[in-house]
Each structure stands twice: as C-alpha cells, then as structure tokens.
Amino acid sequence: MKLKIAIQKSGRLYDDSVALLKECGIRMNLGSNTLRVEASNFPCEVLFLRVADIPAYIEDGVADIGIIGENVHLEAQHDIEVADKLGFSKCRLSLAIPREHHYEGIRQFEGKKIATSYPNILAHFFAQHGVQADIHTISGSVEIAPSIGLADAVCDIVSTGSTLLSNGLKEVETVLRSEAIIVANKALSPEKKAIFEQLLFRIGAIKKAKNNKYILLNAPNDNLDKIVSALPGMKSPTILPLAQEGWSSVHSVVQEDDFWEIIEKLQAYGAQGILVVGIEKMIV
C-alpha cells in the first residue's frame, strides 16, 4: 500500500515541495522530465502534475494527497480536505490598476472590467464588499489586459510586484494571502490514512524546528531564578553547573517570534556567552 502524493511538476512550489519531502527523510530518484517516482524508504509515490489539476485528481482519488497553493484550492472549490498549512511559497492575490490612476478605495471597482485567473475568489471578495464588477476570466498574461484595452484593472498573484511594475500597474488591494497547503482526499482508506499521519508527524517536527531556536548561555547563580523564568523551554530549561563557582550553563528552546525580547531580558539578568543554534527537527 502506497500513499500517492501529487506535487507541481515545475516551478517554485515544486522546489519547495521536493525540499520538504527530503527534509521528511523521503528519498526519491528524481530524473529529468520525471512524472512519477516511488520513494525508496517510505510507502509513497510522487506524481508530478500541473498544479491547477491537482485538486480534481485528489477529489477523484487519482492522487491521495497533494501540495498546492491555498489560492488554487479556494479557486478550484473541490471537495477535498485541508490537512495543514506549510508556511512556504507565500504570495498574495491582489488587485492592481494602471500606475497613473489615482486610487480612492474598493468602491472604485464598481462597474469596472477586471481581468483575472481567479474569478471565484475575486467574486467572493467583491460580494463581501458590496461591489459589482465585470469579471473577465483569463488564463495567463493577465497583466497586459489594461494596456490592450481588455480591462480596467487586474487581479493576480503577486510575490515581489516586479511583474506589475513592468506592465505599468500598481498594487492597490490585497484580496487573499496564500501559502502552500497539504490537501487530502476525504475518503482515504485506514491504511493510507495511517501513512498520511506518519507524514504529517514528520512535517510537524520540521515546522516546529523552523519556528524555534536552541540557546545556550552562562548564567550567574544569583539571577538563575529570573533567567529560568524568562526561558520556559519545552518543559523547563536544562541547568548544569560550570567549573567556575557561582555560574551555571542553561540550555533551552525559544520561539522565533519571542527571540529578541527574551535575549534582551537574559542580558539584563547578567547572562553571558549566549549561543543560538538552529534546530533541524523538533519532536515534543
């Protein structure tokens, strides 16, 4: 029994997805123009598909799970399950208008022609804001629509914004913030569900590691209680006596978001020799 995993066959999402599977310890022999490959050390096979086709393949059971952009899932509207957000391949779906036009707010799109490859997401966004616009669905090269007179504005995926600028457009409204997600067929067999849970466990360990840092420091014993209170760790910090009397070595894990605030407290409490180490995997 093998779990069938669908990922993008080329592009940035392909690179990030393959990197994630490798971080999960899954070994694959990837050759040029490979469309299907079996892992050598995990019960799965990977299918390389057009990302827009992946939701339908998963709903139909051709693939069991897949890695796609959240924007693709919301636009496709297939009956599949979102199992986890992965934190990479982040982008946004935004509305953009010609650079020379002044922007006065969302109501400016009332009655206007908008070109996009994401008509369902955009229609929902406009409905939420009470705007009625004429949405033109285009598959590719959306940015040129205003310059050729096809539309007044566009709604497209933005990463850096350079493509919009090169086509004389400026970003004015964010419709959706998207990142890679892992989706699954809702009717997985118990055997495939068990394999999927193993994979999610590995992914969870990688995500926790990326969101945390391992720190080591020398602490004066007089302030040890204060330093420990600033370092909750996974349960509590590890404390070891140093050869120098009156000092201890303290080891702990801190979250990336709280890192600098905690470091400032540690320094105020007299901590010295603070070392910060990245974590490859984290299992709690």
Side-chain angles (χ1 to χ4, degrees):
M1 179 70 66
K2 292 184 182 293
L3 187 71
K4 292 180 287 186
I5 306 172
I7 67 174
Q8 185 184 34
K9 66 180 180 180
S10 62
R12 190 180 66 171
L13 191 55
Y14 164 87
D15 294 331
D16 290 338
S17 300
V18 169
L20 176 65
L21 295 178
K22 288 182 178 178
E23 285 185 281
C24 288
I26 297 174
R27 292 198 295 269
M28 301 171 289
N29 184 18
L30 297 175
S32 59
N33 298 318
T34 300
L35 296 179
R36 175 182 171 275
V37 64
E38 292 190 11
S40 60
N41 63 339
F42 191 80
C44 73
E45 59 179 325
V46 181
L47 310 177
F48 300 93
L49 307 168
R50 287 181 64 253
V51 70
D53 295 334
I54 291 176
Y57 279 122
I58 292 174
E59 184 179 36
D60 294 341
V62 175
D64 300 311
I65 68 170
I67 297 175
I68 60 175
E70 191 173 7
N71 56 301
V72 173
H73 168 62
L74 293 174
E75 180 61 32
Q77 299 183 346
H78 285 283
D79 188 23
I80 55 181
E81 178 183 358
V82 178
D84 199 4
K85 292 190 175 186
L86 299 176
F88 58 76
S89 294
K90 292 184 178 181
C91 62
R92 59 194 179 274
L93 181 64
S94 295
L95 284 158
I97 62 176
R99 195 162 51 228
E100 66 274 13
H101 290 185
H102 179 64
Y103 184 62
E104 298 178 350
I106 190 70
R107 300 299 305 178
Q108 188 168 322
F109 294 104
E110 180 72 29
K112 296 293 193 298
K113 295 179 180 179
I114 318 296
T116 185
S117 299
Y118 298 91
N120 292 326
I121 295 175
L122 183 57
H124 178 69
F125 176 80
F126 278 150
Q128 286 182 315
H129 290 83
V131 172
Q132 292 187 345
D134 185 4
I135 299 175
H136 286 241
T137 303
I138 299 177
S139 56
S141 301
V142 171
E143 295 87 355
I144 68 169
S147 64
I148 62 176
L150 182 62
D152 302 300
V154 304
C155 180
D156 202 17
I157 291 295
V158 179
S159 293
T160 64
S162 59
T163 303
L164 292 179
L165 288 173
S166 64
N167 284 277
L169 301 173
K170 62 181 179 181
E171 185 179 0
V172 293
E173 287 282 347
T174 299
V175 174
L176 173 74
R177 295 193 181 276
S178 177
E179 64 184 87
I181 58 175
I182 188 163
V183 293
N185 182 280
K186 288 186 174 181
L188 290 181
S189 68
E191 294 82 6
K192 288 189 174 182
K193 192 172 291 185
I195 299 170
F196 187 31
E197 289 298 327
Q198 292 179 42
L199 180 60
L200 288 176
F201 174 79
R202 297 186 185 191
I203 291 173
I206 292 165
K207 288 173 61 181
K208 288 185 180 74
K210 290 180 177 178
N211 292 330
N212 290 273
K213 298 292 184 183
Y214 187 78
I215 66 171
L216 306 87
L217 58 94
N218 297 328
N221 290 344
D222 291 344
N223 283 341
L224 200 53
D225 289 343
K226 291 180 180 179
I227 289 173
V228 167
S229 68
L231 289 169
M234 288 182 282
K235 287 191 177 178
S236 64
T238 299
I239 302 173
L240 301 171
L242 289 179
Q244 183 177 345
E245 187 175 349
W247 286 80
S248 296
S249 175
V250 181
H251 301 213
S252 189
V253 173
V254 298
Q255 290 189 354
E256 182 79 42
D257 292 344
D258 303 327
F259 176 76
W260 289 111
E261 180 181 348
I262 290 174
I263 291 297
E264 290 170 1
K265 288 183 180 179
L266 295 175
Q267 288 182 314
Y269 297 150
Q272 298 178 6
I274 302 172
L275 300 179
V276 182
V277 182
I279 303 172
E280 184 176 336
K281 308 286 190 301
M282 182 172 169
I283 299 168
V284 296

